[in-house]
Amino acid sequence: MRGRGGAAAKGGQDGQAGEAGGSGQGSGAGRLRRFRGPQNRNLWFWAFVGPFAIGLALFTYVPLAWSVYLSFFDAHNTVSPTDFVGLDNYVSMLGDHAFLSSLGTFLLFTAFIVPTTYVVSLALALMVNRLRFAQAFFRSVFFLPTACSYVVAALIWKLSIFNGVRFGLANTVLGWFGADQTAWLSTSDPPWYWLVIVTVRLWLQAGFYMILFLAGLQRISPRLYEAAAVDGARPGWQTLRHITLPQLRATSVAVVLLLVINAFQAFDEFYNLLSDARGYPPYARPPLVYLYYTALGQEQNLGLGSAGAVILALIIAVATVVQARWFGLGRKED
Amino acid sequence: MTRDGGTGFGIGRRRLLATVGGAALTGVLAACGSNTGRGGKGSGPALSQWYHQYGEPGTEAAVKRYAAGYDKARVTVQWRPGDYDRQTAAALLTDSGPDVFEVDGPRLDQIKGGQIVDVTEQIESVKDDFNQAVLKPKIWDGKIWAVPQTIDTQLLFYRKSLLRAAGVQPPQSVDELVEAAKTLTRHHRKDKVKGLFLGNDGGAAVLGGTPLFAAGLSLITEDGKVGFDDPAAARVLGKVRQLYADGSLLLGAPTDWSDPAAFVQGLTAMQWSGLWALPQVKKALGDDFGVLPFPKDGAGKPAVPVGAYGSAVSARSKHQKEAKAFVKWLWVDGTDKQEDFALSYGFHIPARISLAKKAKQLQEGAAAEAVRFATDHGFAEPLLWTTASRTAYQDALNHIIKDGANPETELKAVVRKVNSELQRAKKK
C-alpha cells in the first residue's frame, strides 16, 4: 500500500512539474505526460478499456441511436431512409393487434415464469446450501445447464423429449400408462406448448439464479440463526420467513429484475421450438420474435420494427424502474 | 520476475506480443484473402454470385463448375447456409452484396425499392418457353425482374397399401380427403398411424392459399383485388379445421412437412410434401405410393403451388452489364446446365417447358404426374401478396384450424388487412 501511495505521490509531482512546465516552454511534452498519467496509467487504461469501449459504442450505442432514428422514417429495405413519417410507425405499431397480443401474452408469461423461477432457484439454493457433503458436486450439476445454449436445449426438447409421435420420450413414458400420444407443440387446446417452453426455460436458467442465491445465503451470518434459536424460533418456515428472506432482499431484487428483463427478451427457445421455414404461429409469439419478422423478415420494414423495439425497450425500462422502487432497490440493508 | 519482464520460458514479453500479434494479423489477412468459391477463368471483371445452400450433394460443385466455365468474367460462387433470404435482404442494403444472386421472389418491395435491375432484355426472346405460372410473379410494370431457375411444387403423397387396407380410394375432393383421413386414422389406430400429415402446425403455414385455389378462388385477383372475399373461402377452411378436429392429422413429428420421413416411416398414410421428396419416397417405398394435387372443393379445381428461385442482378453491382450477360449465359442460353442443375442432383422441374418435356426422368410415373399437375393446376403467390398479408392470413388459418375460430369472422379481418396492404403496395 505504501509503495503504491508513494508512486502516486511521485506521479502527482510529475504531473505538477508537467503543468508548471506547460505554462512556459515544453508544453507539448507536459501535455503528453499528463495524458499518459502517472506511470503511464492513463495510457494502459485506454489500451485495455479502449477497444471494448469502441466496440460497445460501435455495436451497441450507434445501432441503438440509429434504430431510434429509423423509427421516425418509412424505412422499407433501407437503413438510410429519406421519407420522414414522424410518429406514424409508433401509431401503427400500437394499433397492431398482433404486436399488442404478443405483449399481452408476455405479460402473462412474465407473471408466471418470474415467481416460478424464483421459487425453484431459491429452493435449489436452500437445498444445496444445507448439504454436508458433495455440495460442490450438486452445485455443479444444477449449474451445468446454464452452459448449454438455448438453441441446443430447445432442439433437444422439441425433437427428443416432447415430439408428438410414439417414440418421443414424454409420449413413451405416458404410453406405459396407456395414455394416447400428445402433440405437445402443435395443440393450442389444451396449450401443452407452454409446458415445453416453461420446462426448458426453468432447466436452463434455474441453476444460474441458484448460484446467486447461494452467494446470498453464504453471506448470512450463522450468529443470526443462533440468536433466533436462542429466542425460540423454530428452524424451517419461521427462520426462512424472518431471517433468510429478509437477508436475501438485495439478491432477490437483482434476481427478479434479471428475470423480468429476460422474460421480455425471450427469443431463442420460442423461435427454435415453434417456428418453421414458413412462419411462426400467433400463439406464444414473443414481442422480439414478432419484431424480428417485421424488421428482418421478408417485409424488411426497418422503420416499423425499430418503433416496436423502442416501445418494447421503454416497457422494459418502466417495468424495471417500477419494480426496483417497489422492492426498494438501493434501500439500506436491514 | 524474469529479466525484461519475460514470461519465464525465455521469451520476452515484447517478443511474445509481437509474435501473437503477427500471427493474428496473418490470420486476418489470410481470411480476407480466402476465396470460398472457385473463381472463373475469364479475364473480365470479378462477379460475385450467391446461392442458398441446397440439400442435394453435388449441387455446389455443379454451380462452381458452371461459373468456372464462363470466360467473360471471373465469377466467384458463394454457397450460403443459414437464413439465406434474410442474408441477401441485408446484403442488398450495402455495397458488399452479390452481383448476381438467387432470390425467392423477388418481392415487390425489392423491385420498388430499386434493389434489383430488370432482366427483360436477357429473357425476352424465349420468355414464352418458361412456365408462365412461375414467370408471372417475376413481372412488374411490364418488366421481368429475375430469370426462373428451376420449378418446385408440392404434392399429396399417399401410401397405396395403407389406403387399400382401409378400403379408401385416393381422394378427389376435399370432402373425400376429410373422410379418407378419418377412416385411415381409425383403421390404423392400433399401429398409431395417422391419416394425413400437413405439417406440425396442422397445415397453416404450408397450405397457405392452396385450399382457396382448390375452391376456385385466389389470393389476389387479376385486377389486383382480394380474391377470397367469398363464402366459399370460409367453407373450405372450415373443412381443413375438420381434419384437425377429427384427430386425423399427424402433429409433432420430428421433421416437418418438407421432409418425407414421417411418410416413409409409416407415421402417416398421406403427407403433403414437395416434389424434391420424390426420389427419397421412391427409394423407400418402391411403387407403393402415388401422388395427387390438393383436391378440389365445390366448383373449384385441383391445385398445387409452384415456385421458382430466380436469378437476379443487384442494383448496387458495379458491373451490372456483365452480371446480366452472365445470367443470360447461364439461365437463358445454357439449357444443358439448366437440365443438369434441375435433375442431376436433386429433383426439380426445369423452368423451361421445352426442357421439362424432353427430360427423361420426368417422362413416366409419379414424376410425370407431378409435371402435369404443375402445368395444369399450378399457381404461384402473386407479387401483391405481401409479407404482412401472408402473416395475417396464416395467423387466421392458425386460429381457424387449432382454436376452432369462426372462419368467416377471421377471414373478414384478413380481407381488411389485405385491402390496406394493397393500397400501400399500389401507392408508390
Side-chain angles (χ1 to χ4, degrees), chain B residues 65 70 77 95 107 118 126 130 148 151 163 208 278 281 287 290 313 320 332 346 355 408:
Chain B
R65 195 172 58 245
Y70 190 58
V77 171
D95 287 330
R107 289 176 291 107
D118 85 90
V126 288
F130 279 85
I151 301 172
L163 264 66
L278 216 144
V281 173
D287 290 330
V313 173
Q320 282 181 25
V332 179
L355 293 178
E408 282 176 21

Side-chain angles (χ1 to χ4, degrees), chain A residues 75-80 292 295-302, chain B residues 50 80 83-98 101-103 107 110 115-116 314 316:
Chain A
H76 269 93
N77 298 300
T78 178
V79 286
S80 47
Y292 172 71
L296 299 173
Q298 283 202 327
E299 196 180 349
Q300 288 271 303
N301 193 339
L302 297 163
Chain B
W50 285 16
R80 301 187 74 91
D83 196 340
Y84 177 81
D85 294 339
R86 288 189 180 85
Q87 287 175 33
T88 47
L92 291 178
L93 301 175
T94 71
D95 287 330
S96 58
F101 65 104
E102 275 191 328
V103 63
R107 289 176 291 107
Q110 285 178 321
Q115 293 191 315
I116 54 173
S314 167
R316 282 184 181 258

Side-chain angles (χ1 to χ4, degrees), chain A residues 269-280:
Chain A
E269 79 270 40
F270 284 85
Y271 186 77
N272 287 289
L273 282 171
L274 292 169
S275 73
D276 68 17
R278 289 179 166 248
Y280 190 98

Side-chain angles (χ1 to χ4, degrees), chain A residues 74 76-80 83 96-98 158-159 162-167 171 175 179-189 271 275-283 285 290 292-293 296-300 302, chain B residues 83 85-86 89-90 93 104 107 109-110 113 115 154 189 191-194 200-201 205-206 244 250-257 265-267 316 381 387-388 390-391 394-396 398-399 402-403 417 421 424 428:
Chain A
D74 178 9
H76 269 93
N77 298 300
T78 178
V79 286
S80 47
D83 193 0
D96 184 344
H97 173 73
K158 180 180 183 173
L159 301 177
F162 288 108
N163 72 42
V165 295
R166 58 179 180 247
F167 44 77
N171 278 338
D180 212 358
Q181 61 194 49
T182 303
W184 302 97
L185 286 163
S186 305
T187 51
S188 55
D189 185 24
Y271 186 77
S275 73
D276 68 17
R278 289 179 166 248
Y280 190 98
Y283 52 85
R285 180 160 52 198
Y290 184 71
Y292 172 71
Y293 279 111
L296 299 173
Q298 283 202 327
E299 196 180 349
Q300 288 271 303
L302 297 163
Chain B
D83 196 340
D85 294 339
R86 288 189 180 85
L93 301 175
D104 186 13
R107 289 176 291 107
D109 283 330
Q110 285 178 321
Q115 293 191 315
Q154 293 163 22
R189 184 178 297 278
D191 302 320
K192 294 187 175 171
V193 176
K194 290 284 188 177
N200 283 323
D201 63 352
V206 66
Y244 182 88
L250 172 68
L251 298 165
T255 56
D256 217 342
W257 64 273
Q265 286 170 3
L267 296 173
R316 282 184 181 258
E381 287 187 351
T387 310
R390 187 181 302 113
T391 304
Q394 275 185 206
D395 282 3
N398 251 300
H399 290 311
K402 290 186 184 169
D403 302 335
K417 177 74 182 174
E421 273 296 294
R424 183 186 71 80
K428 288 187 200 167

